[in-house]
């Protein structure tokens, strides 16, 4: 039976592999663009105006591309350069590159062109592109080259005459580049092959390319025969005549050269980086190199300086960044940071100075931003924005008069600021910074911002969430825990799809509640006849900023209940609230001095004592159905579609009805709200800066800085940069200095000179000195860091004809009009002439609309949120639209008074399908029947009389501002203010019908929810170490050591992890005595000390070597100081409550855990006959000369008496049995109460008898190396490292293993799993080529040869290496006819999660047709083809055609964000409806929603 499947990404990749910086979005803002596998993210580098805040990176946009990004390049074309912006070249694995620019009108990237070179005549013998596709860009932006297929070079020239381009040159405006062409590297030099690296050099008249290659290859074992095989050629590219003269070439470079670095002036030339040396080359000067370890003289004859070879550092895998033109910071593969200084005498290089400046993490890319800051990207740890400075310069500026310990002063100066910025990551940041500043280095580093990385995921398991709550209303909650990171950056990442509130108190006494409000009001106090109001902080502890709520108003169907909040909730007696009927809205007005209660018949104004001060009637025949209360306005929506507005007067504490303009009584209003702009984001055209003004201001700032280095701008920058250094501690130490001003001026001149020298790429770095324009633009666009400004008020109206209108208050002047908001398009733009106002027919779908600020206290942004009648949410973010020269659109319209903003729809993959209250019985009626028509009339009448409010704005809940969406699947819409809005569903046990924020002495910054059953819960949002600004709420627990495996033990509800720390490897003989090499043995009598001294060199040793001080002679350092290292692994028992280790079991030396499983084995200790144990399989890595052996361990987790001060230590690991076996134990699993072990090439089934011994009862021989095993009932799936998959059956009586079938196609299977749908089983295989294949045992299929051959049922290219998988039962929606199904969740080395799930046949065929429509009908980012991306990738020639049967879920979910008319058009083409497709996508989105 066939199974239909779909693959979808659950969590995007987070490991950063490439980074560039440029002016991409705005000319006055520096952008950092990073590549995460197939995801492209754009960040803005923001320097706050407040001196006590650190710079940060704000996420502007994120795009999922249909291809693996291999490199990035920045160029300035004639089109983007007109606006002072850069364009980005993105290369992909399959010999493609795309040119991307930023669209101001649509606030997104646009694909200018895509260049495709994947031709068969270029491939030669390659089946696919095994060589990395790399982009290199000329520093002068004249051309870019793409290296692909090993020996091919594509040249893309760019037009440079952007100033001479006139309006008549339409062709030049359309194409910013000239036609590209492809050449073979052998055309330049016949010897060029095996290219290692290439780079463009600085300051040449023509584009000049340096190519590093190896014409003859060798390796370490043949160095005695052949060494120094690398060569370098520097060639000039004459693009016009397509000629490539060689300027100079150098041969006999070390064989282990890895890359070349172009060095800017004043040094110039290039650096060749090899594993053991650094060589500087330049035209017309002598080559100079330096050996950085003792291996260099052994592997090369190239003349090198050897005075620094005692450093013992290895440069392969290192990343670099220029701190200055003559200072390069290298981060080694081990994480150590070394500063290489190029010393000059005159115009030539005289030598190298190398200094260790600290220790960081493993890096994958680096990028300098502005002077003093650089960005570090990593695949193995969190990426960071680093601030660096020289301690000597800081001390010089301070003029320190007394002798004081520099490290102590530094801790005093910098130790406290980080805690103020982010208390959740203080400890981690402090430890990393202390590691960076270790030793006696003159450089200091500070972490400004971090980008969380959840990869690489090497192991994961799902377990039950541990909770100390006394409430058990919710079903058991699960969480996915992954072992991530590497080395010192090892961590556990806890993935939670749903928000799990901490319930403080619950009650079921509120059945029938429809709305909740909490309100605060200040009391009026009379003192000596003068009326005053109490302070907002009265009644709370000193120093607290929050204001506790005083009243809780509960609206029910027939009455209203008012409760006073305090230590407990109690009903308020004798209040003058309207309690005879339901309440529409409640809020505070006039700076929290009055309470407003809105009900159907009018409005009541009350004071803090709940006494009426005024009643505002609205008329006998009118009824209020909705209200929006924003101080000092109250907007009332009436049942007839009209509205009225009230305004409060602070002077006399009165509220009056404003004169009603005709616009409130025109086309019926569906939804309306008031927005208070406190961020200065709602700017009109005459107030907002234009793009030309931003560019001219930026250019003038650049010229001014270059012409006058001592101008006031750098002086201002210097003061700003030093503000965090000169704090109160220093003033107490040194006192004020009278010459501070002169000092600042002189230092600003020096700093400006350094700034000018650092400009390695003048066109790229001109934005560095733009603080004036940058600050002004940011101040105009948004209120920086939450400063208090005068709020402006705006009225947003959505009408029944689908139009969205914005009016300025209180004059009700129209400033924005969009006619088709009901379509929910990607961009909302202003149409002041009211053209194309014909209704689109979708107005009834949007039932609610609201505009609020979302973010935190420090950073907020305005968002427009709309909700459809089925619960789908659309979130729009405002952005500034830079207006061009405005034309007169009408005599009655003043274009300068219109808003200079637009709205961009943010991507949300949340599909909500709320069941309508009136759906019951609707399915049995004919749509044209009289009963159906009458029912529809009743529904519309009910909606008209009662406007259900499902979008509830909140502020102060755990420090966040956002919107809570009511419903059966409630959502938190929140943002950190530094990135995209996130939609997090919340776990619940019923439909949430009420929500309000709640700040109380017993529940600070919490909230109250009520479900349809009347259960009220007072809860808090958990915030400890939880990141809500990620696509999922995650928690990262840093362990500071590598985590190799993790498994969950359900009986004890604990996790067992395998951690590893580095351990020096010492070769020992059969007597376990260390065997030393001759050089070490003759050097000193203490051989043991020499061996133990093989650890990495300390900072003091490095500095001694750097400063050329006398060093004690080392014992015959003929070889390098490197020694092989192993891992010392430990089993750790981790409590999921506090995530601390409660017990350990240390393994033997050189013993590595290769498999660990939680197995259910036969045991007499449990009544069921089986018990959960932890089975561990290990291998001993003693070198190539030792026979491989391993050990099988069986552990039990027992209950013990906990320590008095730590209740989590109530479990211990107990070793029940261990057995040494001949071979490596590579995989294990439980099989019908037995233990299945894969030892070497044998698969053995063992019986655990009497909890004492393991006895083998059956075995089968396999081929090479089993990487993974899964068991379903009595069938076994084995993944072989080279021989694909085996399918084996187990027979109990008599016990034996029988091979049922296997895959005969060669495949490096890394992991195996399975899918189940009713009676059908598919085997899921993840291979080393980042593919997933589906295989089936089908003995009745003719092609399977009676089942001996597994039939391929599907293949899919994931794009990331799948390292681990888990199986989960599929969750189906209520009412679905799907049977029992199991899906597979995959963890990737890029930090992402994806799932493979079975879907029904009808759904699959419907979505397959929709896939075709989306592929053909949507413009895809970077112009890539989704179908080509998901094709099977293989380095071997396939024996059969790929089976493209797995649907691409990522592509299908793009349907959710399409405009309503596009959705209707696509579904009409395939003969279905939008609701049907949305129901299908909703069923897929909840399939793996266990977490």
């Amino acid at each position: 039976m066939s199974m239909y499947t779909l693959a979808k990404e659950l969590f995007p990749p987070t490991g950063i592999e490439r980074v560039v910086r440029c002016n991409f979005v705005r000319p006055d803002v520096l952008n950092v663009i990073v590549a995460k596998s197939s995801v492209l993210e754009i960040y803005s580098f923001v320097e706050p105006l407040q001196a006590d805040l650190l710079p940060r990176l704000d996420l502007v946009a994120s795009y999922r591309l249909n291809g693996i990004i291999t490199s990035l390049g920045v160029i300035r074309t004639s089109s983007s350069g007109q606006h002072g912006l850069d364009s980005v070249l993105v290369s992909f694995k399959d010999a493609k590159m795309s040119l991307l620019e930023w669209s101001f009108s649509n606030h997104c990237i646009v694909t200018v062109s895509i260049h495709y070179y994947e031709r068969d005549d270029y491939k030669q013998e390659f089946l696919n592109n095994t060589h990395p596709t790399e982009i290199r860009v000329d520093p002068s932006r004249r051309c870019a080259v793409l290296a692909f297929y090993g020996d091919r070079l594509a040249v893309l020239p760019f037009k440079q005459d952007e100033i001479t381009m006139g309006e008549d040159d339409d062709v030049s405006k359309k194409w910013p580049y000239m036609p590209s062409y492809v050449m073979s590297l052998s055309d330049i030099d016949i010897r060029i092959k095996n290219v290692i690296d290439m780079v463009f050099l600085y300051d040449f008249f023509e584009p000049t390319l340096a190519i590093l290659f190896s014409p003859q290859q060798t390796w370490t074992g043949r160095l005695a025969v052949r060494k120094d095989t690398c060569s370098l050629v520097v060639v000039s590219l004459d693009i016009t005549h397509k000629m490539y003269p060689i300027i100079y070439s150098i041969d006999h470079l070390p064989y282990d050269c890895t890359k070349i670095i172009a060095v800017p002036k004043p040094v110039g030339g290039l650096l060749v980086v090899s594993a053991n040396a650094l060589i500087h080359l330049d035209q017309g000067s002598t080559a100079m190199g330096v050996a950085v370890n003792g291996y260099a003289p052994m592997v090369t004859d190239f003349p090198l300086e050897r005075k620094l070879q005692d450093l013992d550092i290895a440069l392969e895998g290192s990343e670099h960044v220029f701190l200055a033109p003559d200072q390069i910071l290298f981060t080694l593969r081990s994480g150590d940071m070394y500063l290489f200084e190029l010393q000059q005498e005159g115009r030539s290089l005289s030598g190298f100075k190398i200094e260790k400046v600290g220790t960081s993490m493993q890096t994958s890319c680096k990028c300098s931003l502005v002077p003093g800051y650089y960005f570090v990207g990593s695949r193995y740890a969190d990426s960071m924005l680093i601030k660096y400075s020289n301690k000597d310069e800081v001390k010089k500026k301070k003029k320190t008069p007394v002798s004081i310990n520099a490290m102590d002063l530094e801790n005093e100066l910098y130790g406290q600021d980080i805690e103020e910025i982010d208390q959740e990551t203080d400890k981690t940041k402090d430890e990393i910074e202390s590691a960076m500043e270790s030793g006696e280095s003159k450089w200091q580093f500070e972490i400004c911002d971090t980008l969380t990385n959840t990869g690489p995921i090497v192991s994961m398991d799902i377990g039950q969430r541990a909770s100390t709550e006394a409430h058990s209303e919710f079903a058991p909650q699960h969480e996915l825990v992954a072992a991530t990171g590497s080395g010192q950056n090892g961590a556990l990442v806890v993935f939670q799809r749903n928000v799990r509130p901490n319930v403080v108190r619950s009650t079921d006494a509120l059945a029938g509640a429809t709305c909740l409000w909490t309100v605060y009001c200040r009391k009026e106090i009379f003192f000596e006849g003068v009326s005053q109001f109490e302070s907002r902080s009265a009644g709370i502890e000193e120093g607290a900023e929050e204001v506790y709520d005083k009243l809780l108003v509960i609206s029910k169907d027939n009455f209203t209940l008012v409760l006073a909040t305090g230590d407990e909730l109690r009903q308020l007696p004798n209040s003058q609230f309207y309690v005879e009927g339901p309440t529409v809205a409640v809020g505070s007005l006039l700076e929290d001095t009055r309470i407003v209660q809105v009900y159907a018949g009018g409005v009541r104004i009350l004071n803090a004592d709940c006494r009426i001060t005024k009643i505002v009637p609205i008329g006998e025949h009118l009824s209020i159905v909705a209200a929006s209360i924003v101080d000092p306005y109250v907007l009332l929506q009436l049942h007839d579609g009209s509205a009225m507005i009230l305004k409060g007067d602070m002077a006399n504490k009165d509220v009056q009805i404003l004169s009603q303009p005709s616009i409130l009584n025109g086309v019926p209003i569906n939804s309306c709200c008031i927005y208070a702009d406190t961020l200065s984001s709602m700017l009109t055209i005459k107030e907002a800066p234009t793009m030309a003004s931003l560019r001219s201001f930026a250019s003038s700032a650049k010229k001014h800085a270059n012409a006058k280095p001592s101008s006031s701008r750098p002086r201002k920058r210097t003061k700003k940069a030093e503000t965090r250094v000169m704090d109160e501690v220093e003033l107490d130490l040194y006192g004020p200095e009278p010459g501070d001003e002169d000092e600042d001026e002189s230092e600003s001149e020096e700093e400006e000179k350094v700034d000018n020298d650092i400009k390695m790429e003048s066109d790229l770095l001109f934005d560095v000195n733009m603080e004036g324009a940058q600050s002004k633009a940011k101040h105009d666009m948004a209120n920086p860091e939450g400063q208090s400004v005068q709020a402006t008020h705006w009225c947003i109206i959505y009408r029944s004809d689908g139009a969205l209108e914005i009016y300025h208050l209180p004059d009700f002047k129209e400033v924005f009009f969009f006619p088709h908001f009901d379509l929910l398009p990607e961009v909302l733009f202003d149409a002041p002439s009211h053209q194309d106002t014909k209704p689109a027919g979708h107005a009834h779908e949007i039932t609610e609309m609201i505009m609020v600020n979302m973010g935190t206290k420090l950073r907020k942004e305005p968002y427009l949120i709309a909700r459809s009648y089925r619960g789908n949410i659309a979130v729009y973010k405002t952005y500034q639209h830079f207006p061009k020269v405005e034309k007169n659109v009408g005599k009655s319209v003043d274009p300068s008074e219109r808003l200079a903003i637009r709205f961009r729809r943010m991507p949300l993959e949340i599909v909500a399908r709320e069941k309508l209250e009136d759906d019951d019985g609707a399915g049995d009626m004919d749509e044209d029947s009289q009963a159906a028509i009458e029912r529809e009339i009743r529904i519309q009448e009910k909606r008209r009389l009662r406007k259900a409010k499902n979008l509830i704005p909140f502020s102060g809940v755990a420090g966040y501002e956002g919107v809570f969406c009511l419903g059966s699947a409630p959502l938190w819409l929140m943002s950190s203010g530094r990135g995209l809005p996130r939609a997090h569903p919340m776990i619940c046990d019923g439909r949430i019908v009420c929500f309000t924020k709640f700040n109380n002495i017993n529940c600070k910054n919490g909230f109250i929810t009520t479900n349809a059953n009347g259960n009220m819960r007072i809860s808090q949002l958990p915030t400890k170490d939880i990141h809500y600004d990620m696509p999922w709420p995650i928690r990262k627990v840093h362990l500071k050591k590598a985590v190799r495996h993790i498994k969950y033990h359900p009986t004890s509800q604990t996790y067992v992890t395998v951690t590893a720390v580095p351990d020096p490897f010492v070769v020992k003989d059969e007597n376990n005595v260390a065997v030393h090499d001759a050089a070490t043995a003759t050097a000193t009598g203490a051989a043991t000390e020499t061996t133990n001294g093989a650890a990495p060199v300390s900072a003091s040793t490095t500095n001694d070597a750097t400063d050329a001080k006398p060093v004690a002679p080392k014992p015959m350092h003929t070889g390098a100081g490197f020694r092989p290292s192993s891992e010392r692994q430990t089993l750790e028992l981790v409590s999921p409550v506090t995530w601390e280790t409660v017990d350990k079991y240390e393994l033997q030396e050189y013993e590595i855990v290769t498999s660990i499983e939680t197995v259910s084995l036969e045991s007499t200790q449990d009544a069921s006959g089986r018990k959960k144990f932890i089975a561990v399989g290990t291998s001993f890595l003693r070198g190539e000369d030792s026979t491989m052996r391993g050990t099988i361990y069986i552990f039990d987790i027992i209950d013990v008496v906990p320590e008095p001060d730590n209740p989590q230590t109530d479990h211990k690991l107990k070793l029940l049995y261990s057995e040494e076996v001949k071979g490596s134990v590579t995989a294990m699993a439980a099989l019908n109460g037995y233990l299945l072990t894969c030892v070497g090439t044998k698969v053995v089934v063992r019986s655990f008898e009497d909890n004492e011994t393991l006895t083998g009862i059956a075995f089968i021989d396999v081929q090479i190396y089993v990487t993974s095993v899964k068991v379903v009932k009595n069938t076994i799936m084995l993944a072989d490292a080279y021989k694909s998959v085996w399918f084996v059956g187990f027979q109990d009586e008599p016990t034996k293993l029988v091979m049922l079938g296997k895959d005969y196609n060669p495949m490096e299977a890394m992991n195996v799993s399975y899918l189940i749908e009713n009676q059908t089983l598919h085997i899921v295989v993840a291979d080393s080529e980042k593919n997933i294949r589906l295989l089936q045992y089908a003995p009745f299929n003719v092609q399977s040869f009676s089942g001996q051959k597994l039939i391929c049922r599907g293949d899919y290219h994931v794009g990331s290496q799948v390292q681990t998988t888990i199986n989960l039962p599929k969750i189906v929606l209520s009412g679905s006819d799907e049977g029992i199904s199991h899906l597979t969740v995959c963890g990737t080395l890029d930090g992402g999660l994806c799932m493979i799930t079975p879907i029904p046949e009808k759904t699959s065929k419907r979505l397959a047709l929709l896939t075709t429509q989306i592929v053909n009908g949507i413009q895809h980012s970077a112009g890539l083809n989704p179908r080509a991306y998901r094709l099977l990738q293989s380095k071997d020639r396939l024996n059969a055609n790929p089976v493209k049967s797995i649907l691409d879920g990522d592509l299908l979910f793009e349907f959710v964000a399409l405009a309503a008319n596009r959705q209707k058009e696509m579904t009409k083409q395939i003969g279905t409806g939008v609701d049907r497709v949305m129901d299908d996508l909703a069923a897929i989105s909840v399939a793996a929603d266990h977490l």
Side-chain angles (χ1 to χ4, degrees), residues 821 824-826 828 862-864 874-878 903-905:
F821 181 59
L824 298 177
E826 290 186 354
L828 309 180
Y863 289 91
L864 179 68
V875 178
Y876 287 86
K877 182 179 180 180
T878 63
F903 297 86
R904 174 77 189 183
R905 186 171 179 179

Side-chain angles (χ1 to χ4, degrees), residues 173 239 283 512 542 618 800 898 1078 1083 1090 1112 1227 1230 1241 1365 1367 1411 1482:
K173 287 185 177 181
I239 301 174
Q283 183 181 11
E542 183 180 356
I618 62 165
S800 60
R898 312 292 293 187
T1090 305
T1241 59
T1365 59
N1367 294 94
T1411 299

Side-chain angles (χ1 to χ4, degrees), residues 663-848:
I663 56 173
L664 294 180
N665 300 318
V667 179
I669 297 174
N670 274 9
S671 182
C672 58
C673 71
I674 293 177
Y675 171 66
D677 178 25
T678 59
L679 308 174
S680 299
S681 58
M682 306 285 283
L683 300 178
T684 60
I685 290 177
K686 65 180 179 181
E687 297 171 343
T690 61
M691 177 58 66
S693 66
L694 289 177
R695 187 191 177 195
S696 62
F697 197 95
S699 301
S700 63
K702 174 194 172 187
K703 294 178 181 178
H704 188 62
N706 292 334
K708 299 181 180 180
S710 60
S711 63
S712 60
R713 186 215 54 82
R715 182 163 64 251
K716 179 180 179 183
R717 174 182 171 79
T718 304
K719 290 180 181 179
K720 174 184 171 185
E722 292 178 2
T723 306
R724 298 190 65 256
V725 178
M726 294 296 294
D727 57 4
E728 295 178 0
V729 177
E730 251 188 319
L731 293 177
D732 292 340
L733 287 173
Y734 311 123
E737 298 185 49
D740 269 348
E741 254 183 87
D742 299 334
E743 176 77 10
D744 287 342
E745 287 189 9
S746 61
E747 291 301 328
S748 65
E749 292 177 4
E750 295 179 8
E751 184 170 345
E752 183 63 29
K753 182 179 179 183
V754 174
D755 288 358
N756 292 335
D757 291 341
I758 277 183
K759 294 185 178 182
M760 298 162 285
E761 300 178 14
S762 57
D763 291 338
L764 260 178
L765 284 179
F766 82 87
D767 55 279
V768 170
N769 301 320
M770 280 188 189
E771 185 182 347
Q774 197 169 4
S775 301
K776 180 180 182 301
K778 290 175 185 172
H779 186 272
D780 290 340
M781 262 303 286
N783 170 33
E785 313 309 327
Q787 294 178 355
S788 59
V789 296
Q790 185 66 33
T792 57
H793 294 84
W794 312 82
C795 179
I796 298 97
I797 295 177
Y798 171 63
R799 299 190 182 273
S800 60
D801 61 353
L804 178 71
E805 303 168 2
I806 301 179
Y807 296 91
H808 180 264
L809 294 179
D811 53 3
F812 270 97
K813 181 183 294 183
E814 183 190 280
V815 292
F816 189 91
F817 175 82
F818 183 73
H820 299 303
F821 181 59
D822 55 335
L823 298 178
L824 298 177
E826 290 186 354
V827 178
L828 309 180
F829 55 87
D830 186 20
S833 58
H834 287 228
Q835 296 178 354
D836 190 21
T837 57
K838 183 179 179 181
H842 298 271
H844 68 282
E845 295 188 358
I846 299 179
T847 59
E848 198 171 350

Side-chain angles (χ1 to χ4, degrees), residues 269-570:
L270 57 90
L271 287 173
V272 179
V273 181
S274 74
N276 311 303
L278 190 68
I279 303 171
H280 179 267
L281 304 175
D282 198 3
Q283 183 181 11
S285 63
T286 306
M288 175 171 289
V290 59
V292 295
N293 58 49
Y295 279 115
M298 303 166 57
V299 300
T300 181
D301 294 332
F302 195 89
L304 300 171
E305 291 186 6
R306 299 189 182 183
K307 63 179 182 180
L308 298 178
Q309 72 179 26
D310 292 340
L311 290 175
D312 288 337
I313 62 178
L315 294 178
E316 72 266 24
S318 62
E319 296 293 333
H320 73 279
V321 64
F322 278 90
L323 304 186
D326 59 346
Q327 292 178 334
I328 311 174
L329 181 66
F330 278 85
T331 301
L332 308 185
R333 192 165 54 185
S334 62
D336 293 335
M337 299 191 300
Y338 285 84
L339 184 69
F340 286 66
E341 184 175 348
L342 309 180
Q343 299 175 332
Q344 283 184 289
E345 287 185 2
R347 304 179 67 179
S348 61
L349 187 70
S350 61
F352 296 87
K353 181 181 178 182
I354 304 177
E355 174 189 7
K356 183 176 181 180
V357 295
T359 302
S360 180
M361 72 284 192
Q362 284 184 278
T363 61
S364 57
C365 55
K366 280 189 172 184
C367 179
S368 61
L369 301 181
V370 298
Y373 298 94
Y374 68 89
F375 178 81
V376 179
S378 177
R379 292 189 295 263
Y380 317 99
D382 294 345
S383 301
M384 299 178 183
L385 173 64
I386 305 295
K387 177 182 179 181
Y388 64 90
S389 57
N390 193 312
K391 296 180 182 178
D392 290 342
E393 294 180 3
V394 174
K395 291 179 182 179
K396 181 180 177 182
K397 294 177 184 179
K398 295 175 185 175
K399 293 186 176 180
T400 307
V402 293
S403 175
I404 189 168
N405 190 318
M407 291 299 292
D408 294 340
L409 176 61
E410 178 190 335
N411 292 334
E412 289 291 328
L413 290 177
Y414 303 107
Q416 302 300 323
D417 290 330
I418 304 173
E419 296 180 0
E420 297 172 4
I421 302 302
D422 189 1
Q423 296 182 357
E424 298 176 0
T425 56
D426 293 350
K427 190 174 180 181
T428 302
K429 284 189 175 182
D430 290 342
E431 290 175 356
I432 296 175
E433 288 176 5
S434 62
M436 285 183 172
E437 299 174 5
S438 61
E440 301 176 2
S441 170
K442 300 177 182 178
W443 292 83
Q444 61 187 17
F445 301 86
E446 184 176 7
I447 301 172
C448 299
D449 199 2
T450 58
L451 303 182
T452 304
N453 179 21
T454 59
I457 299 177
V458 295
S459 178
M460 65 182 183
D461 202 358
I462 189 169
Q464 187 170 329
R465 180 198 180 202
S467 177
T468 58
E469 301 170 8
H471 305 280
S472 57
E473 295 93 341
F474 301 119
Q477 305 169 28
H478 298 86
E479 55 194 7
L480 182 67
V481 184
T484 67
S486 175
Q488 291 291 325
N489 303 109
L492 297 180
V493 175
V494 183
F495 291 92
Q496 300 175 354
R497 182 64 190 101
N498 295 280
V499 173
R500 280 86 178 271
N502 295 328
V503 179
V504 178
R505 181 183 174 187
S506 64
T507 179
D508 56 356
L510 291 181
T514 57
C515 284
L516 297 176
W517 300 271
T518 53
V519 66
Y520 166 79
C521 186
R522 294 187 290 160
K523 286 187 177 182
E524 189 173 6
I525 303 173
F526 290 92
F527 180 73
E528 296 182 354
V530 180
S531 174
Q532 296 179 346
F533 289 90
E534 66 178 357
S535 171
R536 283 188 171 88
S537 58
I540 60 177
E541 60 268 19
E542 183 180 356
E545 297 181 358
E546 62 266 24
V547 177
Y548 292 149
D549 298 317
K550 294 188 175 182
L551 297 176
L552 173 62
V553 182
I554 303 170
S555 175
K556 296 192 176 184
D557 291 334
N558 300 320
F559 63 93
T560 297
L561 187 64
V562 182
L563 303 179
T565 62
D567 291 339
E568 60 182 14
L569 300 178
R570 56 182 177 83

Side-chain angles (χ1 to χ4, degrees), residues 14 69 241 326 410 427 473 913 937 1002 1103:
T14 56
I69 301 173
H241 301 92
D326 59 346
E410 178 190 335
K427 190 174 180 181
E473 295 93 341
R913 308 303 291 164
I937 293 175
N1002 298 320
N1103 284 315

